[in-house]
Amino acid sequence: MLAEDFEISRLAIPAVSLLISFLAYTSQYFFYNFKAAPLTLDEGWAINVLALCIWVCYFRSCFVDPGRLDPKGKSVVHSQQEKDQSTGRQRWCRRCEAYKPPRAHHCKTCKRCIPRMDHHCPWTANCVSYFTFPHFFRFLFYTVVGMGYLETLLWQRASIIWHERDMPSYLGPSVPQLVHLLLLLVANTVTWLGIFILLIRTVWSMLFNTTTIESWEIERHETLVRRARVLGGFLEGPGGVKIRIRKQEYPYDIGLFSNIVHSMGDSINIFSWFWPFASTPDRRNGWSFETNEFEDPSVTWPPPDPDRIPIPKDSFPVHDPDIPISYASARDQVEAFDRRQAADMDRPRPYSTVQRRKRFHERFQEEPNYESDEERPPGPVYSNDPDEGEESWRNAEGERLRDFGVDEDVEFYDEDDVPLGLLMEQRRGRQ
């Protein structure tokens, strides 16, 4: 199945390129040979200029690097890491073996965490991210404008044929021309409607500074708030840990104009928003974001989710730093630390393999009513079936996280999953 998906994804760019060529260039061949209303010079220029804009924007949407965390950006991540530590929450990517910056998500196709990832687009075979979103928006914009203009030209010719339908057939277009016109109309109309809807959705995301994934997170949070409201404000995490759930405001909505500016690479040049050759956003940006400060500064996004915690912290014995350990010599102390660090890095951690908790309504209705997950038998609570666990939760449109191209096991279970060796290193740094 994965092999089939991979082969299909490789055909996406050639298929889109073929469609653009068919609509942009064979339509001109039809117009030039349509004697009742041949293509004018202005119409020819308009079609070709719009086609060029589409080609440029599509090429950049496909081949501009969606971003990766370079050494210069680690200081930004480190500052966010300190903020997360102050709240008691830390997001850790097991694939990248690094802290996950705010609004970043691990793409299962690109094999890395993508800054401000919106989704992995199958038609560009690339991630729509902080760096590629402006190119993607311009591609949609010029596609809608270009295909809309072509639509008017096609319907003008089709209306001429309809008004002259009672004329002898030899005075009108040939059968191949009629078939060609029909194919152009069907392909252009269907594609234009689909991309127009996608453009409207993209503009909506720009206005509120959300990504497709964050829209999913907002809806997920609203679901958790409704659940907690019924259960006294708390939901149960693994091991019976009670987590308080309260309504949180989305922090990145900073005003309509500022939202658009940020989405377009933090550029206030309105002309550059629509210029196909506009530069890619600065690579030093994309790892920290302005917030609206409606919430307490210690509050992070996404909000707490009990089902995103892979395993309780107290399931692993960690030495209490308040209890001193005595050693015969400094050498023994160093050797003991080296042994603990090597054992932590080498041993297979239980939380490296995701334990999928069954769906909320199944756990909630279980009988008898156990006080914690540890008291329950493992069967009713955990499952290895990816379609049974809570990570298979879908929003109102029937979408789950993996539908946006993210690595679901990494993305859904990304909290409090920091290796022990790194936690000890942080502790030494604070001391």
Side-chain angles (χ1 to χ4, degrees), residues 306-360:
D307 292 301
R308 296 184 75 151
I309 302 175
I311 200 165
K313 291 181 178 179
D314 56 4
S315 297
F316 306 104
V318 180
H319 172 65
D320 188 346
D322 296 331
I323 301 177
I325 298 179
S326 59
Y327 296 94
S329 65
R331 181 181 181 85
D332 291 342
Q333 183 177 0
V334 172
E335 291 178 352
F337 172 77
D338 290 340
R339 287 195 299 270
R340 292 195 302 270
Q341 187 178 47
D344 176 58
M345 295 300 179
D346 293 339
R347 68 185 175 87
R349 297 189 294 273
Y351 54 85
S352 62
T353 301
V354 171
Q355 290 182 305
R356 297 180 173 88
R357 303 181 80 205
K358 283 197 171 183
R359 300 190 183 208
F360 171 79

Side-chain angles (χ1 to χ4, degrees), residues 65-122:
D65 192 322
R68 63 181 71 240
L69 182 61
D70 57 16
K72 295 181 180 179
K74 288 185 178 178
S75 60
V76 176
V77 177
H78 181 70
S79 63
Q80 179 64 29
Q81 165 193 335
E82 292 178 348
K83 176 183 177 182
D84 290 343
Q85 289 175 356
S86 67
T87 65
R89 299 179 63 205
Q90 298 182 23
R91 300 177 67 211
W92 176 263
C93 180
R94 294 191 301 276
R95 299 283 192 267
C96 297
E97 296 186 349
Y99 285 96
K100 185 178 293 184
R103 310 188 77 180
H105 306 278
H106 191 93
C107 176
K108 63 183 178 183
T109 303
C110 299
K111 309 297 184 185
R112 63 180 184 269
C113 284
I114 303 296
R116 195 184 179 274
M117 178 179 174
D118 187 281
H119 68 284
H120 187 90
C121 179

Side-chain angles (χ1 to χ4, degrees), residues 337 341 420-431:
F337 172 77
Q341 187 178 47
L420 177 61
L422 192 55
L423 290 175
M424 296 178 67
E425 182 180 346
Q426 295 172 3
R427 183 178 298 159
R428 291 199 309 273
R430 289 195 293 270
Q431 292 174 350

Side-chain angles (χ1 to χ4, degrees), residues 100-202:
K100 185 178 293 184
R103 310 188 77 180
H105 306 278
H106 191 93
C107 176
K108 63 183 178 183
T109 303
C110 299
K111 309 297 184 185
R112 63 180 184 269
C113 284
I114 303 296
R116 195 184 179 274
M117 178 179 174
D118 187 281
H119 68 284
H120 187 90
C121 179
W123 301 111
T124 62
N126 198 12
C127 271
V128 179
S129 69
Y130 175 81
F131 300 106
T132 60
F133 181 88
H135 305 310
F136 183 73
F137 165 75
R138 286 188 283 267
F139 166 64
L140 296 179
F141 174 78
Y142 281 109
T143 300
V144 168
V145 173
M147 297 182 72
Y149 181 70
L150 179 60
E151 189 81 358
T152 61
L153 299 182
L154 291 172
W155 280 108
Q156 286 176 4
R157 274 64 179 185
S159 64
I160 292 174
I161 295 174
W162 176 255
H163 290 307
E164 297 179 353
R165 63 186 181 277
D166 295 329
M167 299 289 290
S169 59
Y170 64 86
L171 296 177
S174 62
V175 172
Q177 284 182 313
L178 291 174
V179 173
H180 190 188
L181 176 60
L182 179 62
L183 291 176
L184 288 170
L185 274 172
V186 172
N188 192 77
T189 303
V190 172
T191 307
W192 181 83
L193 286 174
I195 296 182
F196 178 75
I197 294 173
L198 182 57
L199 176 62
I200 294 299
R201 182 171 180 175
T202 302

Side-chain angles (χ1 to χ4, degrees), residues 9-30:
S9 66
R10 294 184 61 180
L11 296 176
I13 295 178
V16 173
S17 301
L18 183 62
L19 180 61
I20 295 173
S21 301
F22 172 72
L23 294 174
Y25 303 118
T26 69
S27 61
Q28 297 183 61
Y29 175 80
F30 168 81

Side-chain angles (χ1 to χ4, degrees), residues 60-61 63-67 129-135 138 264-267 272 275-285:
R60 303 185 78 184
S61 298
F63 298 107
V64 168
D65 192 322
S129 69
Y130 175 81
F131 300 106
T132 60
F133 181 88
H135 305 310
R138 286 188 283 267
M264 298 306 293
D266 292 313
S267 172
S272 70
W275 178 238
F277 297 95
S279 60
T280 299
D282 192 334
R283 293 288 176 178
R284 292 172 297 181
N285 300 333

